[in-house]
Amino acid sequence: MLDMLVSGGTIVSPRGRVRADLGVKNGRVVSVGEDLGEAREHVDAAGLHVLPGLIDVHVHFRDPGMTAKEDFGSGSTAAAVGGVTTVFDMPNTDPPVSTAERWRAKYEVVAPKARVDFGLYGVVTQDNGAELTAMADEGAMGFKLFMGQTTGDNPCPDDGVIFAAFRTAATLGLTIGAHAENNAVLQLLKRELRAAGRTDPRAHLESRPAFIEAEAVSRAATLAAAAGNHLHIHHLSTREGLQRVVQARALGTRISCEALIGHLLLDDAAYESQGNLVQLNPPIRPAEHVQALWEGIAARTIDCIATDHAPHTGEEQACTDVWSAVGGFIGVETLLPLLLTQVAAGRLELEQLVQLTSAGPAAIYGASPQKGSLDLGADADFVLVDTQRTAVISGQQLHSAHPVTPYEGWQATGMPVATYLRGQCVARDGVPVGDPRGRLVKPRRVHRATA
Ligand code: DOR
Ligand code: ZN
């Protein structure tokens, strides 16, 4: 007897869509097709699409140490309601996750609050080379490398340390995810703009021009090619950066890249309309870069879409001086409605959406085959979607601690109706369901011989 039968829906995978029922037992997908037999629980998905739960490889739930901005409870509730069943959380918490002991301590704090499954990254610092293996042994999802300054002000490691970390990651079979910006150049430009008396929101964009991303992508890709690790470029934001990824891939480098929903939907006009609320590292860019990212999605040179869900307090976000303002804004709860709206507008296929937000992210960090698909044996993480349902995005209805969104008032076409984690409902119609029951996801390590 099945635990759950999801019937009458259209199941979507990167390969296509099929009208079929889904059988769940012990939290996993055990059958797909017709006449799957008896089940203890019946979910009627008639008229709905059944998507694998989304995986957001880039969230900052701020726990521990920055919980005035968000904590794992509020962040993961927002994820569940938004159809995101797995998040990978960034290590620029307080303290930063730079040792196995800190990784373990963070796990202990966040696990009881998690409404969705989660992976936890460690951070690469100038002097924690010896801790990377120990963090991997604890279960780290991979390692974040800050090549450019951002929230938390984690110092950027030098190139020797970066190369050594890449070699370690290759041996461990884990992915390194880079924030690719040239720190020395951005600091120089910042000083110059400041000295020139600039305080307006757009000065942030000018302090982080496209070439500093392109340079960091090339440098990281060159080192990764030699070390043999998988390099993932987080929040790729420029035409030039994407060109460098494509070139590196053509040379055989194990490289993937991510676009943020914010970089896909906002352009530099937002500095005038929304001010420092849209400050982001790397910055929101002129339309030509937005266009290049959409071309990358169409050409399948971009491997995943993430949110960089980066909450701050209302007070911090109200800051009017560009140099004291905080970078980043929330997004995990609005990701799916905004992408479904792009599907409704004909800019994206549903199959592509699943590739970019489930299958792709799982493959990049080694979470497949457990996560990222509804194939037999996978965790029964899925979201029921009504592609016709419309809504107006409103911060008031979001579950983050400080629900200020740059998408306030935007029309969405396509909404998550209910979210299931390992066969249990965790959210329905915009409301969380049940107690937190999220679990740690550990990566499947992919070892490759190094040069
Ligand atoms: O704008 C950003 N905010 N970019 C990052 O890389 C980090 C993030 C944060 O943690 O606030
Ligand atoms: Zn981030």
Side-chain angles (χ1 to χ4, degrees):
M1 167 112 112
L2 295 169
D3 294 335
M4 178 181 280
L5 179 68
V6 184
S7 63
T10 300
I11 301 174
V12 187
S13 79
R15 302 179 297 275
R17 36 192 114 171
V18 30
R19 277 291 302 272
D21 297 349
L22 188 80
V24 177
K25 198 166 173 65
N26 297 326
R28 294 181 176 220
V29 178
V30 293
S31 46
V32 177
E34 286 171 31
D35 302 324
L36 302 182
E38 298 282 295
R40 260 183 278 279
E41 191 182 344
H42 185 235
V43 175
D44 180 8
L48 302 176
H49 286 83
V50 185
L51 272 52
L54 277 68
I55 301 174
D56 190 345
V57 302
H58 194 158
V59 303
H60 301 263
F61 284 172
R62 308 300 195 198
D63 219 342
M66 299 179 173
T67 51
K69 297 174 190 277
E70 184 90 285
D71 76 0
F72 229 84
S74 54
S76 66
T77 300
V81 172
V84 175
T85 50
T86 303
V87 294
F88 299 161
D89 192 64
M90 287 294 171
N92 58 334
T93 38
D94 188 11
V97 186
S98 55
T99 67
E101 199 182 331
R102 288 178 176 185
W103 189 96
R104 168 61 47 184
K106 174 167 176 170
Y107 169 76
E108 303 287 352
V109 168
V110 306
K113 306 182 195 174
R115 279 191 187 273
V116 297
D117 284 355
F118 59 96
L120 300 177
Y121 297 120
V123 66
V124 177
T125 71
Q126 182 64 21
D127 53 17
N128 77 339
E131 289 285 336
L132 300 181
T133 301
M135 284 195 276
D137 290 344
E138 290 284 352
M141 201 66 216
F143 303 110
K144 177 72 179 278
L145 168 66
F146 290 101
M147 299 172 80
Q149 174 278 332
T150 194
T151 303
D153 287 324
N154 288 289
C156 306
D158 69 36
D159 292 345
V161 168
I162 293 174
F163 181 61
F166 284 7
R167 279 195 312 213
T168 304
T171 310
L172 292 170
L174 289 177
T175 299
I176 295 242
H179 176 131
E181 291 187 289
N182 181 313
N183 194 52
V185 178
L186 82 83
Q187 296 301 343
L188 168 81
L189 297 176
K190 234 167 139 169
R191 282 194 300 275
E192 289 177 354
L193 287 156
R194 229 176 156 151
R198 291 284 297 275
T199 56
D200 57 299
R202 192 176 276 274
H204 179 72
L205 168 64
E206 291 175 36
S207 72
R208 293 168 181 253
F211 79 88
I212 73 164
E213 177 175 90
E215 188 281 331
V217 170
S218 312
R219 180 159 38 100
T222 304
L223 298 177
N229 63 300
H230 180 147
L231 171 66
H232 177 64
I233 305 294
H234 287 290
H235 47 44
L236 188 90
S237 65
T238 63
R239 181 182 298 276
E240 292 84 342
L242 182 55
Q243 283 167 348
R244 300 305 192 280
V245 169
V246 171
Q247 282 165 2
R249 200 176 272 145
L251 293 169
T253 312
R254 298 174 61 206
I255 188 166
S256 55
C257 68
E258 144 198 322
L260 298 185
I261 186 72
H263 285 136
L264 288 167
L265 297 185
L266 300 169
D267 66 27
D268 64 338
Y271 293 111
E272 278 71 53
S273 58
Q274 310 221 41
N276 292 326
L277 171 62
V278 295
Q279 183 167 135
L280 180 64
N281 305 319
I284 299 296
R285 306 265 179 203
E288 56 174 308
H289 295 287
V290 179
Q291 169 76 16
L293 295 181
W294 280 105
E295 284 166 14
I297 290 206
R300 297 174 192 268
T301 51
I302 289 175
D303 303 277
C304 77
I305 297 177
T307 66
D308 199 351
H309 179 89
H312 298 283
T313 65
E315 202 179 321
E316 288 168 328
Q317 280 174 323
C319 180
T320 51
D321 170 27
V322 67
W323 309 118
S324 315
V326 284
F329 45 83
I330 60 171
V332 75
E333 192 167 347
T334 47
L335 174 67
L336 181 55
L338 290 170
L339 284 177
L340 289 169
T341 305
Q342 296 299 313
V343 171
R347 214 172 185 188
L348 194 67
E349 297 291 333
L350 259 184
E351 288 83 354
Q352 268 180 300
L353 187 159
V354 170
Q355 174 65 34
L356 289 161
T357 58
S358 295
I364 289 165
Y365 276 101
S368 48
Q370 181 196 352
K371 298 296 189 191
S373 85
L374 292 173
D375 293 346
L376 296 186
D379 282 359
D381 299 342
F382 56 92
V383 52
L384 304 182
V385 159
D386 182 343
T387 55
Q388 312 294 318
R389 190 188 284 193
T390 57
V392 176
I393 291 178
S394 147
Q396 266 187 353
Q397 282 164 20
L398 303 177
H399 292 79
S400 277
H402 303 281
V404 179
T405 166
Y407 313 112
E408 183 71 35
W410 287 31
Q411 290 277 344
T413 302
M415 290 295 288
V417 172
T419 309
Y420 290 79
L421 179 68
R422 286 177 276 102
Q424 284 190 27
C425 186
V426 292
R428 175 175 295 283
D429 291 324
V431 180
V433 172
D435 294 327
R437 51 184 295 275
R439 282 191 202 151
L440 181 73
V441 180
K442 289 192 181 185
R444 191 174 43 86
R445 299 196 200 168
V446 183
H447 297 268
R448 297 277 161 94
T450 53

